[in-house]
Amino acid sequence: MEKPRQSFWGLWNISFGFFGIQIGFALQNSNMSRVFQTLGASMDDLPALWVAAPLTGLIVQPIIGHLSDRTWNRLGRRRPYFLTGAIFAAIALFVMPLAPAFGAPLLFAAAMLWVLDASLNVSMEPFRAFVGDMLHTDQHSAGYAVQTAFIGAGAVVGSIFPYLLEHLGVANIAPDGGIPDTVKWSFWAGSAALLLAVLWTVVTIREYSPEEQAAFAGVEAVEDGEPARLLAAKSYMSSMVWLVAGAVVLAAVQLFALEKELFLLGALLAIYGLLSAIAIGLARQGRTTNMLSSIVGDFSGMPEVMKRLAVVQFFSWSALFIMWINTTPVVTQYVFGSTDTTSAAYNEGANWVNLLFTVYNGVAAIAALVLLPWFSRKFGQVLTHSICLTLGAIGFLMFFFVRDAQALLLAEVGIGIAWASILAMPYAILASNLPQKKLGIYMGLFNIFIVVPQLLVATVMGQIMLWLFPGEPVWTMLFAAIVWLISAAAMLRVQAVLPSANQGISHA
């Protein structure tokens, strides 16, 4: 028994909710450095404040993936998580601009970023698995291409809000030095758009029941307890390695007076070592169905294709997080010539960053539907992704060398093409090569290789910049270009573990 093929409107409805989710991410990515700096954060404080985003993703996505694989109620399997996350994200977006009214505005804004990012992750992770749930294998690439188009379109809308509102006469500088009206109204409009878009998908799509999914999958050789049983055979040595690594980082921070953000890195290493030891102990006791043993077991027993794509994702998302943190400081300082957040030049530069982000997301939306299918037919998914990452690296090099605001629009074209491929190609490959009944947890675990590099950027990068290039954030763009070139090279290793039938791209 095979899944029915979806029409264009079926693909539309399945992914339309991502349009709203990405509006939320775009408002966050293009405005939070501006909000933090406006509320008094220094350039050195930004990585620590931004660490909320990857940390919440690291914790939330594997848990939500595990739970959604096992959920079935009146709303379905994935839709309960779409809706819950959207409600809380909408609330966080609405109250974020009210931070100056609170006694500790910077702390309040940082707390709301945690709530916002956690909620967006609760909605986003099931959407990744949702495409695999609802589509036949030969429509996976088309499904993720449509999803990427909505991601790009939502990001365009979210990114352009402040720029557009300024040109409609809304004040772009707050008289009291607080958050400008352009940012406030952008967040409030984004809150409503996010909730409505997710509701559209919840209302228009009926999920397949567990019985229907089992019939579609046929004989699928995956047992729920198998990864945990394999975990029981592992020694505690790997857990000890993680614990020792964490202890070494914590000691180094104390001994050498390193940046305080590195405490988080050391703590995470140690915590994972402790949790993996507990998971091994539970598995050895025969308790193989608990969440911790299942997640750790699935992580340690990832399929080979997922391991190789994980390397690609690690380097890809390192560069993206550098871009989201540093584009505003780079453009305002080097192109518009100001680091004073109360000046007209700084705020003009910050709005130009919104336009730049609009361009790369708009390019991504078009590339997902037009360029990626053509590239994939000609070169295959693997080489297509490698080419797109190389084009993105060239875009980052332009930020390092170019000081003309208009010319940076061209840089965003290359970055936009790479962004489209990052959002589509790895997920299409995974959805076609992973067991359906564990798609949620594997997609959640795959997210680890998105958030860990972001955590490293938020911790280690700040220390490196302080040592080598204090007050010169433009050097981060050169680093971003280098790591995308590494990612492009790593992608070529994926080809060897893919069945030839899964290397192309299909159409709706």
Side-chain angles (χ1 to χ4, degrees), residues 133-178:
D133 289 347
M134 300 301 299
L135 299 181
H136 190 276
T137 301
D138 67 0
Q139 282 195 302
H140 283 163
S141 291
Y144 285 107
V146 171
Q147 190 174 89
T148 298
F150 275 126
I151 291 171
V156 166
V157 173
S159 297
I160 206 171
F161 263 140
Y163 182 86
L164 183 62
L165 289 174
E166 181 190 12
H167 284 75
L168 292 176
V170 179
N172 192 46
I173 302 176
D176 57 356

Coordinates of all heavy atoms in Angstrom, one line a residue, residues 133-178:
D133 N 6.0 12.3 6.7 CA 4.7 11.6 7.1 C 3.7 11.5 6.0 O 3.1 10.5 5.7 CB 4.1 12.2 8.3 CG 4.8 12.0 9.6 OD1 5.7 11.1 9.6 OD2 4.5 12.6 10.6
M134 N 3.6 12.7 5.3 CA 2.4 12.9 4.4 C 2.7 12.6 3.0 O 1.8 12.5 2.2 CB 1.9 14.4 4.5 CG 1.5 14.8 5.9 SD 0.1 13.8 6.6 CE -1.2 14.1 5.4
L135 N 4.0 12.5 2.6 CA 4.3 12.4 1.2 C 5.0 11.1 0.8 O 5.7 10.5 1.6 CB 5.3 13.5 0.8 CG 4.8 15.0 0.9 CD1 5.8 15.9 0.5 CD2 3.5 15.2 0.2
H136 N 4.7 10.6 -0.4 CA 5.3 9.5 -1.0 C 6.8 9.8 -1.2 O 7.2 11.0 -1.4 CB 4.7 9.1 -2.3 CG 5.1 7.8 -2.9 ND1 6.3 7.7 -3.6 CD2 4.6 6.6 -2.8 CE1 6.4 6.4 -4.0 NE2 5.4 5.7 -3.5
T137 N 7.7 8.8 -1.2 CA 9.1 9.0 -1.3 C 9.5 9.9 -2.5 O 10.3 10.8 -2.3 CB 9.9 7.7 -1.3 OG1 9.6 6.9 -0.2 CG2 11.4 7.9 -1.4
D138 N 8.9 9.7 -3.6 CA 9.3 10.4 -4.8 C 8.8 11.9 -4.8 O 9.1 12.6 -5.7 CB 8.8 9.7 -6.1 CG 7.3 9.7 -6.2 OD1 6.6 10.2 -5.4 OD2 6.8 9.1 -7.3
Q139 N 8.0 12.3 -3.7 CA 7.6 13.7 -3.6 C 8.4 14.4 -2.4 O 8.1 15.5 -2.1 CB 6.1 13.8 -3.3 CG 5.3 13.6 -4.5 CD 3.8 14.0 -4.3 OE1 3.2 13.5 -3.4 NE2 3.4 15.0 -5.1
H140 N 9.3 13.7 -1.8 CA 10.0 14.3 -0.6 C 10.8 15.5 -1.1 O 10.7 16.6 -0.4 CB 11.0 13.3 0.0 CG 10.3 12.3 0.8 ND1 10.9 11.1 1.2 CD2 9.1 12.2 1.4 CE1 10.1 10.4 2.0 NE2 9.0 11.1 2.1
S141 N 11.5 15.5 -2.2 CA 12.2 16.6 -2.6 C 11.3 17.8 -2.9 O 11.6 19.0 -2.6 CB 13.1 16.3 -3.8 OG 14.2 15.4 -3.4
A142 N 10.2 17.5 -3.6 CA 9.3 18.5 -3.9 C 8.6 19.1 -2.7 O 8.5 20.3 -2.6 CB 8.2 18.0 -4.8
G143 N 8.3 18.3 -1.7 CA 7.7 18.7 -0.5 C 8.7 19.7 0.3 O 8.2 20.7 0.8
Y144 N 9.9 19.3 0.4 CA 10.9 20.1 1.1 C 11.2 21.4 0.3 O 11.6 22.4 0.9 CB 12.2 19.4 1.5 CG 11.9 18.4 2.6 CD1 11.9 17.0 2.4 CD2 11.7 18.9 3.9 CE1 11.6 16.2 3.5 CE2 11.5 18.0 5.0 CZ 11.4 16.7 4.8 OH 11.2 15.8 5.8
A145 N 11.1 21.3 -1.0 CA 11.3 22.5 -1.8 C 10.2 23.5 -1.6 O 10.4 24.7 -1.4 CB 11.4 22.2 -3.3
V146 N 8.9 23.0 -1.5 CA 7.8 23.9 -1.2 C 7.9 24.5 0.2 O 7.7 25.7 0.5 CB 6.5 23.2 -1.4 CG1 5.3 24.0 -0.8 CG2 6.2 22.8 -2.8
Q147 N 8.4 23.6 1.2 CA 8.6 24.1 2.5 C 9.6 25.2 2.6 O 9.5 26.2 3.2 CB 9.0 22.9 3.4 CG 9.0 23.3 4.9 CD 9.2 22.1 5.8 OE1 10.4 21.8 6.1 NE2 8.2 21.4 6.2
T148 N 10.7 25.0 1.8 CA 11.8 26.0 1.7 C 11.3 27.3 1.1 O 11.6 28.4 1.6 CB 13.0 25.4 0.9 OG1 13.5 24.3 1.6 CG2 14.1 26.5 0.8
A149 N 10.4 27.2 0.1 CA 9.8 28.4 -0.5 C 9.0 29.2 0.5 O 9.1 30.4 0.6 CB 9.0 28.0 -1.7
F150 N 8.3 28.5 1.4 CA 7.5 29.2 2.4 C 8.4 29.7 3.5 O 8.2 30.8 4.0 CB 6.5 28.2 3.0 CG 5.2 28.1 2.3 CD1 4.7 26.9 1.9 CD2 4.5 29.3 2.0 CE1 3.5 26.8 1.2 CE2 3.3 29.2 1.3 CZ 2.8 27.9 0.9
I151 N 9.5 29.0 3.8 CA 10.5 29.5 4.7 C 11.1 30.9 4.2 O 11.2 31.9 4.9 CB 11.6 28.5 5.0 CG1 11.1 27.3 5.8 CG2 12.8 29.2 5.7 CD1 12.0 26.2 5.9
G152 N 11.4 30.8 2.9 CA 12.0 32.1 2.3 C 11.0 33.2 2.3 O 11.3 34.3 2.6
A153 N 9.7 32.9 1.9 CA 8.7 33.9 1.8 C 8.4 34.5 3.2 O 8.2 35.7 3.4 CB 7.4 33.3 1.2
G154 N 8.3 33.6 4.2 CA 8.0 34.0 5.6 C 9.2 34.9 6.1 O 8.9 35.9 6.7
A155 N 10.4 34.5 5.7 CA 11.5 35.3 6.2 C 11.6 36.7 5.5 O 12.0 37.7 6.1 CB 12.8 34.5 5.9
V156 N 11.1 36.7 4.2 CA 11.1 38.0 3.5 C 10.1 38.9 4.2 O 10.4 40.1 4.5 CB 10.6 37.8 2.0 CG1 10.2 39.1 1.4 CG2 11.7 37.2 1.2
V157 N 8.9 38.4 4.5 CA 7.9 39.2 5.2 C 8.4 39.7 6.6 O 8.3 40.9 6.9 CB 6.6 38.4 5.4 CG1 5.6 39.2 6.2 CG2 6.0 38.1 4.0
G158 N 9.0 38.7 7.4 CA 9.5 39.1 8.7 C 10.7 40.1 8.6 O 10.7 41.0 9.4
S159 N 11.5 39.9 7.7 CA 12.7 40.8 7.6 C 12.4 42.2 7.1 O 13.1 43.1 7.5 CB 13.8 40.1 6.7 OG 14.2 38.9 7.2
I160 N 11.5 42.3 6.2 CA 11.2 43.6 5.6 C 10.3 44.5 6.4 O 10.1 45.7 6.1 CB 10.6 43.4 4.1 CG1 11.0 44.6 3.3 CG2 9.1 43.1 4.2 CD1 10.6 44.4 1.8
F161 N 9.6 43.9 7.4 CA 8.6 44.7 8.2 C 9.2 46.0 8.6 O 8.6 47.1 8.3 CB 8.2 43.9 9.4 CG 6.9 43.1 9.2 CD1 6.8 41.9 9.8 CD2 5.8 43.7 8.6 CE1 5.6 41.2 9.6 CE2 4.6 43.0 8.4 CZ 4.5 41.7 9.0
P162 N 10.3 46.1 9.4 CA 10.8 47.4 9.8 C 11.1 48.4 8.7 O 10.8 49.6 8.8 CB 12.0 47.1 10.7 CG 11.8 45.6 11.1 CD 11.2 45.0 9.9
Y163 N 11.8 47.9 7.7 CA 12.2 48.7 6.5 C 11.0 49.3 5.8 O 10.9 50.5 5.5 CB 13.0 47.9 5.6 CG 13.5 48.6 4.3 CD1 14.7 49.3 4.4 CD2 12.8 48.6 3.1 CE1 15.2 50.0 3.2 CE2 13.2 49.2 2.0 CZ 14.4 49.9 2.1 OH 14.9 50.6 0.9
L164 N 9.9 48.4 5.7 CA 8.7 48.9 5.0 C 7.9 49.9 5.8 O 7.5 50.9 5.3 CB 7.8 47.7 4.7 CG 6.5 47.9 3.9 CD1 6.8 48.5 2.6 CD2 5.7 46.6 3.8
L165 N 7.9 49.6 7.1 CA 7.1 50.5 8.0 C 7.8 51.9 8.1 O 7.1 52.9 8.1 CB 7.0 49.9 9.4 CG 6.1 48.7 9.6 CD1 6.2 48.1 11.0 CD2 4.7 49.1 9.3
E166 N 9.1 51.9 8.1 CA 9.8 53.2 8.0 C 9.4 54.0 6.8 O 9.1 55.2 6.9 CB 11.3 53.0 8.1 CG 12.1 54.4 8.1 CD 13.6 54.2 7.9 OE1 14.0 53.1 7.5 OE2 14.3 55.2 8.1
H167 N 9.3 53.4 5.7 CA 9.0 54.1 4.5 C 7.5 54.4 4.4 O 7.0 55.2 3.5 CB 9.4 53.2 3.2 CG 10.8 53.3 3.0 ND1 11.7 52.6 3.7 CD2 11.6 54.0 2.0 CE1 13.0 52.8 3.3 NE2 12.9 53.7 2.2
L168 N 6.7 53.8 5.3 CA 5.3 54.2 5.4 C 5.1 55.3 6.5 O 3.9 55.7 6.8 CB 4.4 53.0 5.8 CG 4.3 51.9 4.7 CD1 3.6 50.7 5.2 CD2 3.7 52.5 3.4
G169 N 6.2 55.8 7.0 CA 6.1 56.9 8.0 C 6.1 56.5 9.4 O 6.0 57.4 10.3
V170 N 6.3 55.3 9.8 CA 6.4 54.9 11.2 C 7.8 55.2 11.7 O 8.8 55.1 11.0 CB 6.2 53.4 11.3 CG1 6.3 52.9 12.8 CG2 4.8 53.0 10.8
A171 N 7.9 55.7 12.9 CA 9.1 56.2 13.5 C 10.2 55.1 13.6 O 9.8 54.0 14.2 CB 8.9 56.8 14.9
N172 N 11.4 55.3 13.1 CA 12.4 54.3 13.2 C 13.4 54.6 14.3 O 14.4 53.8 14.5 CB 13.2 54.3 11.8 CG 14.1 53.1 11.7 OD1 13.7 52.0 12.1 ND2 15.3 53.3 11.3
I173 N 13.3 55.7 15.0 CA 14.1 56.0 16.2 C 13.2 56.4 17.3 O 12.3 57.3 17.2 CB 15.1 57.2 15.9 CG1 16.0 56.9 14.7 CG2 15.9 57.5 17.1 CD1 16.8 58.1 14.2
A174 N 13.3 55.8 18.4 CA 12.5 56.1 19.6 C 13.1 57.3 20.3 O 14.3 57.4 20.5 CB 12.5 54.9 20.6
P175 N 12.3 58.3 20.6 CA 12.8 59.5 21.2 C 13.5 59.3 22.6 O 14.4 60.1 22.9 CB 11.5 60.4 21.4 CG 10.4 59.4 21.4 CD 10.8 58.3 20.5
D176 N 13.1 58.3 23.3 CA 13.7 58.0 24.6 C 14.9 57.0 24.5 O 15.4 56.5 25.5 CB 12.7 57.5 25.6 CG 12.0 56.2 25.1 OD1 12.2 55.8 23.9 OD2 11.1 55.7 25.8
G177 N 15.3 56.6 23.3 CA 16.3 55.7 23.1 C 15.9 54.2 23.2 O 16.7 53.3 23.3
G178 N 14.6 54.0 23.3 CA 14.1 52.7 23.5 C 13.9 52.0 22.1 O 14.5 52.3 21.1

